Amino acid sequence: MVTQDHLLPTWRRHDPWTSAASGRIIDESGRRATLIEICMEAVKSHPGLTAGEIGEATGLGHQRVWRRLSDLKNVGKIEQRGARIWRGRKQVLWYPVTGQLKLW
């Protein structure tokens, strides 16, 4: 399980104030955590998919998925290995990190 304490903010210091506001909403509502859990389960169940493929499989869409995959990568839960073409663009393949200590 990934908790909010372990995640980086969804906005950067120089982003417009609206980015920070929407970032707070997705965090405080629990929606970000829910999306992260869905993406983690998809990577565990189907290792080696692209973000686009995970987006299609979960119904979340590519954009929402790649943002949450980035969160999971930043906390060391998943890793990128290799790449393939999805809809005419090269995308990395996502795999769960194995043999790790559970920190939370």
Side-chain angles (χ1 to χ4, degrees):
M1 177 182 212
V2 177
T3 64
Q4 294 297 126
D5 298 337
H6 298 96
L7 297 173
L8 297 173
T10 57
W11 66 93
R12 294 176 296 257
R13 190 170 56 130
H14 298 291
D15 284 349
W17 68 268
T18 53
S19 296
S22 62
R24 285 187 194 95
I25 289 169
I26 194 171
D27 284 345
E28 292 170 5
S29 70
R31 183 69 179 147
R32 184 179 182 193
T34 300
L35 294 171
I36 287 170
E37 293 294 327
I38 292 168
C39 290
M40 186 71 230
E41 283 306 311
V43 172
K44 283 182 187 176
S45 300
H46 306 285
L49 293 181
T50 67
E53 292 165 336
I54 294 168
E56 286 180 345
T58 60
L60 297 175
H62 179 240
Q63 185 176 11
R64 280 201 277 177
V65 165
W66 71 256
R67 288 180 177 165
R68 303 301 64 101
L69 292 175
S70 179
D71 286 338
L72 287 165
K73 180 184 173 207
N74 289 338
V75 295
K77 294 289 186 181
I78 62 174
E79 62 187 0
Q80 301 170 334
R81 282 193 250 150
R84 79 164 154 264
I85 304 296
W86 179 78
R87 292 196 179 172
R89 299 203 126 167
K90 196 172 193 178
Q91 289 195 8
V92 297
L93 308 178
W94 295 97
Y95 293 86
V97 172
T98 56
Q100 63 186 8
L101 293 174
K102 187 164 181 145
L103 300 176
W104 56 86

